[in-house]
Amino acid sequence: MISFTPLKTLQNVEFRNLLTGRFFIVLAFRMLATLLGWWVYQLTKDPFSIGLIGLSEVIPAVSCALYAGHVIDMNEKKKLLLICNYAYIFLIGLLLIPAFFGSKTHFTGHQITYYIYGVIFFTGIARAFIGPIVPSMIPKIVKKENLPNAVTLNQAAFLVSSVCGHAIGGFLIAGFGVKWTLVFIILLIFIASLFFWQLNKQHSEYKKEQVNVMESMREGVDYILKTKEILGALCLDMFAVLFGGAVAMIPVYATDILKVGAEGFGLLNAASDIGSMCIITILSIIPLRKNQGKILLVVVAGFGLCIIGFGLSQLYWLSFMFLVLSGMLDGISVVIRGTIVQLKTPDHIRGRVLSVNSIFIMSSNEMGQFESGLAAKLMGVVRSVVFGGTMTVLIALIVGSTNPKLRKMQY
């Protein structure tokens, strides 16, 4: 049985620096996501325009993901992490132009939105690299017996920063406006870089001149396809997030259905992450010790039911509670899936496997945002959210009945 020792893992200074840097950068990313959804909807008053934010990022992220995995495995990881960090600072800095001067120009709200989409397209390229780098560094920093706990703590830091980012983003938008919120986001990403500078270098085990790029990228894909536990977990989460992306419609719910304004919008955005943070804190102390595969299937189906409840609710407190519960179930799912991927992946292809993982998982959030926007345009907002929750439940049933290895998975 693997020993879970949160305090012992946190005694590792390098791991703390990696975790703290990730906390600040995810805090910034969540604030940016909150800001962009609000900003674009205020510019266009069109739910579909929110979906296009996700599409603008997911296209380059997915297109570059396999190559990003190859680059991560073949190069020094700390240097790549810092390059991506500063690339984000530059790109988000470009959004300051319409934020500070948009009202002084003759550009329409839709024209400013197109500019925002263009900037987000390039952040998608940076995301293809930065997404897999941090988790790929963890196994070289902590001992193997502490790896499951490190994965849980990493996800806990992610969720705490998500909660704070969503909530603070809403309050800053209400109190200081879009432009000063963007300035604060850039400052947070710079602070993250200060912690990343404290990390040790992690050099590649390969000599680049001896590696064929296409064969290298294919190796990560082949490994996932033959490892049914990883494949099942990634497929389950990808489709659940794709169809269960109700959070993309929160700006519409906050503005037009629940009528709670920017402050209520920020809290609704943070609700699912509050639930996830609570459950992951519990899992850090009391880990899941058996039947993780079955639990994964049950919590994904429960997540879909919560999305249906949120879609039908017209009461702010009830909508908030459905999102909190959905976050608790999603948090369990994330911990199980992340641990399966880390434990089942050899070090020498970890970057490539995690890059494929980013195609399945990270990019599915943006595709889910696009799907939600498109479905809202075709069906109406409420029907689209209920449809997404129903599809999530069906996906859990299908994966559970067709993947016995995942269903029997324990670690």
Side-chain angles (χ1 to χ4, degrees):
M1 182 67 66
I2 296 174
S3 174
F4 284 71
T5 53
L7 294 179
K8 186 176 180 181
T9 305
L10 288 173
Q11 288 172 359
N12 185 321
V13 176
E14 189 176 6
F15 179 68
R16 288 205 310 269
N17 283 327
L18 182 66
L19 216 58
T20 307
R22 191 183 190 221
F23 174 87
F24 281 110
I25 204 166
V26 172
L27 181 68
F29 289 172
R30 289 304 189 189
M31 289 178 63
L32 181 64
T34 299
L35 179 144
L36 290 174
W38 179 262
W39 190 11
V40 166
Y41 188 65
Q42 298 310 308
L43 288 170
T44 64
K45 297 298 181 181
D46 181 5
F48 184 60
S49 64
I50 301 174
L52 290 177
I53 299 173
L55 187 64
S56 299
E57 188 170 13
V58 75
I59 290 175
V62 170
S63 300
C64 298
L66 292 178
Y67 181 69
H70 164 77
V71 172
I72 291 168
D73 279 337
M74 303 302 149
N75 291 273
E76 199 276 301
K77 294 181 177 64
K78 174 184 173 180
K79 180 180 178 181
L80 286 174
L81 180 59
L82 288 168
I83 290 173
C84 292
N85 194 105
Y86 291 118
Y88 261 105
I89 291 177
F90 171 75
L91 291 168
I92 297 174
L94 295 178
L95 294 176
L96 294 174
I97 299 172
F100 275 87
F101 306 108
S103 61
K104 300 178 182 179
T105 65
H106 298 292
F107 293 113
T108 66
H110 281 87
Q111 288 171 331
I112 293 174
T113 301
Y114 298 148
Y115 175 86
I116 294 171
Y117 293 153
V119 172
I120 296 305
F121 178 90
F122 288 101
T123 66
I125 298 175
R127 180 173 179 172
F129 289 83
I130 201 169
I133 291 175
V134 171
S136 72
M137 295 179 78
I138 292 175
K140 290 290 185 70
I141 294 175
V142 302
K143 295 180 180 179
K144 185 175 182 180
E145 61 266 25
N146 294 327
L147 183 56
N149 187 242
V151 172
T152 303
L153 290 171
N154 179 54
Q155 191 58 30
F158 173 86
L159 290 166
V160 171
S161 58
S162 293
V163 171
C164 297
H166 282 315
I168 294 172
F171 287 121
L172 286 179
I173 293 166
F176 300 98
V178 168
K179 57 187 178 183
W180 293 111
T181 304
L182 277 172
V183 171
F184 190 70
I185 289 169
I186 293 171
L187 177 63
L188 289 174
I189 299 176
F190 176 75
I191 292 173
S193 72
L194 300 181
F195 288 93
F196 293 148
W197 275 109
Q198 306 305 312
L199 302 175
N200 295 324
K201 294 182 178 181
Q202 291 192 10
H203 294 284
S204 170
E205 300 175 2
Y206 293 88
K207 294 183 178 179
K208 287 182 280 187
E209 62 271 13
Q210 296 178 353
V211 178
N212 181 283
V213 176
M214 295 304 297
E215 290 181 1
S216 172
M217 291 191 295
R218 189 168 58 246
E219 188 177 358
V221 177
D222 290 343
Y223 184 81
I224 288 178
L225 290 177
K226 71 181 182 182
T227 310
K228 300 303 180 183
E229 298 94 333
I230 295 179
L231 180 62
L234 296 188
C235 286
L236 181 66
D237 199 75
M238 181 184 73
F239 287 109
V241 173
L242 177 65
F243 289 111
V247 291
M249 292 297 105
I250 287 178
V252 184
Y253 271 80
T255 302
D256 298 334
I257 297 176
L258 302 175
K259 302 184 187 302
V260 291
E263 293 87 351
F265 163 64
L267 288 173
L268 282 176
N269 244 343
S272 62
D273 289 332
I274 291 172
S276 295
M277 181 178 65
C278 292
I279 198 66
I280 285 184
T281 301
I282 294 171
L283 292 178
S284 298
I285 303 169
I286 309 172
L288 300 170
R289 298 196 180 277
K290 61 180 180 178
N291 298 323
Q292 288 92 346
K294 292 179 182 177
I295 293 172
L296 178 62
L297 294 164
V298 170
V299 297
V300 170
F303 173 83
L305 293 174
C306 290
I307 296 304
I308 294 172
F310 169 77
L312 295 174
S313 171
Q314 295 187 2
L315 298 174
Y316 175 74
W317 67 268
L318 185 59
S319 300
F320 183 84
M321 291 308 299
F322 273 124
L323 289 176
V324 169
L325 182 56
S326 75
M328 295 181 74
L329 297 172
D330 187 50
I332 298 171
S333 168
V334 167
V335 168
I336 294 174
R337 188 194 69 245
T339 305
I340 289 173
V341 172
Q342 290 283 21
L343 290 176
K344 289 282 184 177
T345 304
D347 284 339
H348 70 283
I349 59 169
R350 197 174 298 277
R352 282 161 286 176
V353 169
L354 289 170
S355 290
V356 178
N357 175 59
S358 73
I359 295 176
F360 278 82
I361 307 307
M362 294 177 62
S363 299
S364 64
N365 288 293
E366 280 65 44
M367 284 303 293
Q369 189 177 33
F370 174 70
E371 181 274 334
S372 295
L374 180 61
K377 189 175 184 69
L378 297 175
M379 303 179 183
V381 174
V382 173
R383 288 190 183 93
S384 69
V385 173
V386 173
F387 168 78
T390 303
M391 291 300 298
T392 301
V393 175
L394 290 176
I395 292 298
L397 294 174
I398 292 170
V399 172
S401 62
T402 58
N403 194 321
K405 284 194 173 182
L406 177 62
R407 194 168 62 244
K408 298 174 183 178
M409 173 70 190
Q410 299 191 95
Y411 54 78

